[in-house]
Amino acid sequence: MNKYGNGIAYNVMAGLVMLVPAMMILFDGTDFLGGSKVFLQYALLVCGAVYLLAFVGNKRGYFRPGWILTQGFIQFFIGLFMLFCSGETFNDEIASVTFGIWAIATASAQISGGIQLRALEVKRWKIPVYEGVINIVWAFILLVNPFQTYDYLWLIAGLFLGTISVCTVLEVMVHKVIV
């Protein structure tokens, strides 16, 4: 069997692609409306497509974590939204709410997937649950936006994107036994 036939390579690729804009935002957050925003738009479009391929690319299509499919749609549509919005439309408040809702959707899908894995008696079922709890924390921080400043908002957004990247790569470890 082809070792890439189960979508693992797509997961790793999506995780690594998402790591690039996360690092750009973390290390260049004050210039986010410059090159980092443009790169993030395209990275989200590419990652969305790669996540969808990771979900569909599983030859054993009867089981694939649902949060990967959720990520595919959410990232693709956020990328489109950012692409067609001007700088004034995609301001800090819209970005905070958008990323916060993204974090809630990701968290709910991860926790749901972890519970399903537990029912299937997969030993590593706790990993997606822990990832979901971390994303609930990110959602709270992004939605409440306690810092109310541009720099801190994008620092938190960069950390959130880094978390998504790591979660994607960890997903390979969780499902390696069953996929």
Side-chain angles (χ1 to χ4, degrees):
M1 180 177 177
N2 179 359
K3 73 178 187 177
Y4 299 112
N6 58 9
I8 289 175
Y10 292 127
N11 275 18
V12 173
M13 186 177 12
L16 295 177
V17 169
M18 186 52 66
L19 192 59
V20 175
M23 291 297 124
M24 287 179 76
I25 292 170
L26 288 174
F27 295 117
D28 195 26
T30 56
D31 188 35
F32 181 72
L33 290 178
S36 298
K37 182 180 179 191
V38 172
F39 187 81
L40 178 61
Q41 296 169 49
Y42 292 110
L44 286 171
L45 288 169
V46 168
C47 280
V50 170
Y51 275 114
L52 293 172
L53 285 173
F55 187 84
V56 174
N58 182 5
K59 298 236 185 246
R60 297 182 187 170
Y62 57 86
F63 185 81
R64 176 51 90 191
W67 82 272
I68 298 294
L69 182 63
T70 305
Q71 283 304 301
F73 285 120
I74 289 175
Q75 288 183 18
F76 191 78
F77 288 121
I78 290 175
L80 281 177
F81 179 66
M82 288 177 70
L83 186 65
F84 292 111
C85 286
S86 65
E88 296 82 31
T89 307
F90 196 78
N91 57 25
D92 293 346
E93 291 82 21
I94 298 294
S96 180
V97 170
T98 302
F99 286 129
I101 291 171
W102 176 8
I104 288 172
T106 302
S108 62
Q110 287 172 324
I111 291 170
S112 172
I115 292 168
Q116 291 170 2
L117 288 173
R118 182 172 180 238
L120 293 172
E121 298 180 0
V122 173
K123 291 180 184 176
R124 298 177 184 147
W125 66 271
K126 291 180 183 177
I127 293 175
V129 172
Y130 293 147
E131 293 169 349
V133 170
I134 290 168
N135 281 316
I136 287 173
V137 172
W138 285 130
F140 177 77
I141 292 171
L142 286 163
L143 290 172
V144 172
N145 194 8
F147 308 111
Q148 298 294 324
T149 64
Y150 177 82
D151 292 338
Y152 285 114
L153 170 66
W154 291 110
L155 172 70
I156 298 300
L159 291 171
F160 169 66
L161 293 175
T163 302
I164 292 293
S165 175
V166 170
C167 290
T168 303
V169 175
L170 283 176
E171 196 69 34
V172 172
M173 291 175 25
V174 173
H175 296 283
K176 190 173 187 178
V177 258
I178 60 171
V179 196

